[in-house]
Structures are given as C-alpha cells and as structure tokens.
Coordinates of all heavy atoms in Angstrom, one line a residue:
M908 N 0.8 -1.2 0.0 CA 0.0 0.0 0.0 C 0.9 1.2 0.0 O 1.8 1.4 0.9 CB -0.9 0.0 1.2 CG -1.6 -1.3 1.5 SD -2.6 -1.8 0.1 CE -3.2 -3.5 0.7
K909 N 0.6 2.1 -1.0 CA 1.5 3.3 -1.1 C 0.8 4.6 -0.9 O 1.3 5.7 -0.9 CB 2.2 3.3 -2.5 CG 3.2 2.2 -2.6 CD 3.9 2.3 -4.0 CE 5.0 1.2 -4.1 NZ 5.7 1.3 -5.4
E910 N -0.6 4.5 -0.8 CA -1.4 5.7 -0.7 C -2.4 5.6 0.5 O -2.8 4.5 0.9 CB -2.1 6.0 -2.0 CG -1.1 6.3 -3.1 CD -1.9 6.5 -4.4 OE1 -3.1 6.5 -4.4 OE2 -1.2 6.8 -5.5
G911 N -2.8 6.8 0.9 CA -3.8 6.8 2.0 C -3.4 6.3 3.3 O -2.2 6.2 3.6
R912 N -4.4 5.9 4.1 CA -4.1 5.5 5.5 C -3.5 4.1 5.6 O -2.9 3.7 6.6 CB -5.4 5.5 6.3 CG -6.4 4.6 5.8 CD -7.7 4.7 6.5 NE -8.7 3.8 6.0 CZ -9.9 3.7 6.5 NH1 -10.3 4.3 7.6 NH2 -10.8 2.9 5.9
M913 N -3.5 3.4 4.5 CA -2.9 2.1 4.4 C -1.4 2.2 4.0 O -0.7 1.1 3.9 CB -3.6 1.2 3.4 CG -5.0 0.9 3.8 SD -5.1 -0.2 5.3 CE -4.6 -1.8 4.6
K914 N -0.9 3.4 3.8 CA 0.5 3.6 3.4 C 1.4 3.0 4.4 O 1.2 3.1 5.6 CB 0.8 5.1 3.1 CG 2.0 5.4 2.5 CD 2.1 6.9 2.2 CE 3.4 7.2 1.5 NZ 3.5 8.6 1.2
G915 N 2.5 2.3 3.9 CA 3.5 1.7 4.8 C 3.1 0.4 5.3 O 3.6 -0.1 6.2
Q916 N 2.1 -0.2 4.6 CA 1.7 -1.6 5.0 C 1.6 -2.5 3.8 O 1.5 -2.0 2.6 CB 0.2 -1.5 5.6 CG 0.2 -0.6 6.9 CD -1.2 -0.4 7.4 OE1 -2.0 -1.4 7.5 NE2 -1.6 0.8 7.5
A917 N 1.7 -3.8 4.0 CA 1.7 -4.7 2.9 C 1.1 -6.0 3.3 O 1.2 -6.4 4.5 CB 3.1 -4.9 2.4
F918 N 0.5 -6.7 2.3 CA 0.0 -8.1 2.6 C 0.7 -9.0 1.6 O 0.8 -8.7 0.4 CB -1.5 -8.1 2.3 CG -2.4 -7.4 3.3 CD1 -2.7 -6.0 3.1 CD2 -2.8 -8.0 4.5 CE1 -3.4 -5.3 4.1 CE2 -3.5 -7.4 5.4 CZ -3.8 -6.0 5.2
I919 N 1.2 -10.1 2.2 CA 2.0 -11.0 1.4 C 1.4 -12.4 1.5 O 1.3 -12.9 2.6 CB 3.5 -11.0 1.9 CG1 4.1 -9.6 1.7 CG2 4.3 -12.0 1.1 CD1 5.3 -9.3 2.4
G920 N 1.1 -12.9 0.4 CA 0.6 -14.3 0.3 C 1.7 -15.3 0.1 O 2.5 -15.1 -0.9
L921 N 1.9 -16.3 0.9 CA 2.9 -17.3 0.8 C 2.3 -18.7 0.5 O 1.1 -18.9 0.7 CB 3.7 -17.3 2.1 CG 4.6 -16.1 2.3 CD1 5.1 -16.0 3.7 CD2 5.8 -16.1 1.3
P922 N 3.1 -19.6 0.0 CA 2.5 -20.9 -0.4 C 1.8 -21.7 0.6 O 0.8 -22.4 0.3 CB 3.8 -21.7 -0.9 CG 4.8 -20.6 -1.1 CD 4.5 -19.5 -0.2
N923 N 2.2 -21.6 1.9 CA 1.5 -22.3 2.9 C 1.7 -21.7 4.3 O 2.5 -20.8 4.5 CB 2.0 -23.8 2.9 CG 3.5 -23.9 3.0 OD1 4.1 -23.4 3.9 ND2 4.0 -24.5 1.9
E924 N 1.0 -22.3 5.3 CA 1.1 -21.7 6.6 C 2.5 -21.9 7.2 O 3.0 -21.0 8.0 CB 0.1 -22.5 7.5 CG -0.2 -21.9 8.8 CD -1.3 -22.6 9.6 OE1 -2.4 -22.6 9.1 OE2 -0.9 -23.2 10.7
K925 N 3.2 -23.0 6.9 CA 4.5 -23.2 7.4 C 5.5 -22.1 6.9 O 6.3 -21.6 7.7 CB 5.0 -24.6 7.0 CG 6.3 -25.0 7.6 CD 6.8 -26.4 7.1 CE 8.1 -26.7 7.6 NZ 8.6 -28.1 7.1
A926 N 5.4 -21.8 5.7 CA 6.3 -20.8 5.1 C 6.0 -19.4 5.7 O 6.9 -18.6 6.0 CB 6.1 -20.7 3.6
A927 N 4.7 -19.1 5.9 CA 4.3 -17.8 6.6 C 4.8 -17.7 8.0 O 5.3 -16.7 8.4 CB 2.8 -17.7 6.5
A928 N 4.7 -18.9 8.7 CA 5.2 -18.9 10.1 C 6.7 -18.7 10.2 O 7.2 -17.9 11.0 CB 4.8 -20.2 10.8
K929 N 7.4 -19.2 9.3 CA 8.9 -19.1 9.2 C 9.2 -17.6 8.9 O 10.1 -17.0 9.4 CB 9.5 -20.0 8.2 CG 11.0 -20.1 8.3 CD 11.6 -21.1 7.4 CE 13.1 -21.2 7.6 NZ 13.8 -22.0 6.6
A930 N 8.5 -17.1 7.9 CA 8.7 -15.7 7.5 C 8.5 -14.7 8.6 O 9.2 -13.8 8.9 CB 7.8 -15.3 6.3
L931 N 7.4 -15.0 9.4 CA 7.0 -14.1 10.5 C 8.1 -14.2 11.5 O 8.6 -13.1 12.1 CB 5.7 -14.6 11.1 CG 5.1 -13.7 12.2 CD1 3.7 -13.7 12.2 CD2 5.6 -14.3 13.6
K932 N 8.6 -15.3 11.9 CA 9.6 -15.6 12.9 C 10.9 -14.9 12.5 O 11.5 -14.2 13.4 CB 9.8 -17.0 13.1 CG 10.8 -17.3 14.2 CD 11.1 -18.8 14.3 CE 12.1 -19.2 15.3 NZ 12.5 -20.7 15.4
E933 N 11.3 -15.0 11.3 CA 12.7 -14.5 10.9 C 12.7 -13.0 10.4 O 13.7 -12.4 10.5 CB 13.2 -15.4 9.7 CG 13.5 -16.8 10.2 CD 14.0 -17.7 9.1 OE1 14.2 -17.2 7.9 OE2 14.3 -18.8 9.4
A934 N 11.6 -12.5 10.0 CA 11.5 -11.2 9.4 C 11.0 -10.1 10.3 O 11.2 -8.9 10.1 CB 10.8 -11.1 8.1
N935 N 10.2 -10.6 11.4 CA 9.7 -9.6 12.3 C 10.8 -8.8 13.0 O 11.7 -9.4 13.6 CB 8.8 -10.3 13.3 CG 8.1 -9.3 14.3 OD1 7.6 -8.3 13.8 ND2 8.0 -9.6 15.5

C-alpha cells in the first residue's frame, strides 16, 4: 500500500502456513 491511511503496510501471500510462520519468525 503506497497511498492513503494504508500507506506503509503490505499483505504478502505465501505458499502455505509453514512458510508464513517461518517468514514471520525470521523477518519480524
């Protein structure tokens, strides 16, 4: 999101829950 009140936010779809959990753990 680059405009409005959602600016500075993003939604990322990953292949599965395991990949998302690993991404959250390592990138947060």
Side-chain angles (χ1 to χ4, degrees):
M908 312 301 174
K909 293 184 177 180
E910 295 178 1
R912 60 184 178 177
M913 295 291 286
K914 193 175 181 181
Q916 301 172 52
F918 290 90
I919 299 164
L921 289 165
N923 50 59
E924 194 176 292
K925 186 180 176 183
K929 192 176 182 187
L931 183 146
K932 183 184 175 184
E933 295 181 357
N935 184 43

